[in-house]
Amino acid sequence: SRVEYLNYEVFDDYGWELTDDDLFAKASDADLDPEDYGRLLVQQNETLLEAAENRGFAWPYSCRGGACSNCAVALVEGEMPTPAGHILTEEWLDRGIRLSCLSAPVTESAKVVYNVKQLPGLEELIL
Ligand code: FES
């Protein structure tokens, strides 16, 4: 899967919201560092977190097993299945939140915002 990624930490600087329609277009125009915005190819045997790490990025994580939500990403476009045995509620899944340590997008392309662990309410899930 070809994944376009964006760092949630830059949102405050630009006044962006996760629900902005043209979020990734704005990100592409913003001249961000490769660590904050870009594209990466996820190989078949990689989770999204591993794919980022294998390209030299340090995305947040802790347990690597679906139990903490430190590795949470917001899936803006594409499909990313979540295997059983994880901490996310249906409500978070419905809002597009996924755990990058557990899986990767299965669609040909996808858009994800990483570093969303500080979303209001989500951090309370963190053990
Ligand atoms: Fe803990 Fe992914 S690192 S849920």
Side-chain angles (χ1 to χ4, degrees), residues 45-104:
N45 55 349
E46 289 174 323
T47 62
L48 180 57
L49 178 62
E50 287 167 345
E53 290 173 337
N54 290 340
R55 312 286 173 296
F57 298 125
W59 289 13
Y61 71 89
S62 177
C63 71
R64 304 187 83 97
C68 76
S69 87
N70 271 295
C71 69
V73 300
L75 186 69
V76 173
E77 200 180 292
E79 277 174 46
M80 183 164 163
T82 306
H86 61 80
I87 198 173
L88 293 178
T89 60
E90 273 314 306
E91 191 200 333
W92 285 112
L93 290 172
D94 286 349
R95 289 172 64 180
I97 301 302
R98 298 290 184 275
L99 298 173
S100 66
C101 72
L102 286 187
S103 65

Side-chain angles (χ1 to χ4, degrees), residues 1-74:
S1 181
R2 290 185 62 81
V3 174
E4 200 175 343
Y5 61 86
L6 176 59
N7 187 353
Y8 189 61
E9 271 185 3
V10 307
F11 278 42
D12 265 0
D13 294 346
Y14 292 89
W16 295 340
E17 306 274 353
L18 263 180
T19 47
D20 290 355
D21 281 345
D22 50 352
L23 187 57
F24 277 79
K26 289 191 287 200
S28 148
D29 288 341
D31 201 25
L32 295 167
D33 287 340
E35 110 199 1
D36 292 327
Y37 169 77
R39 287 181 176 80
L40 61 84
L41 199 62
V42 184
Q43 309 290 346
Q44 239 165 22
N45 55 349
E46 289 174 323
T47 62
L48 180 57
L49 178 62
E50 287 167 345
E53 290 173 337
N54 290 340
R55 312 286 173 296
F57 298 125
W59 289 13
Y61 71 89
S62 177
C63 71
R64 304 187 83 97
C68 76
S69 87
N70 271 295
C71 69
V73 300

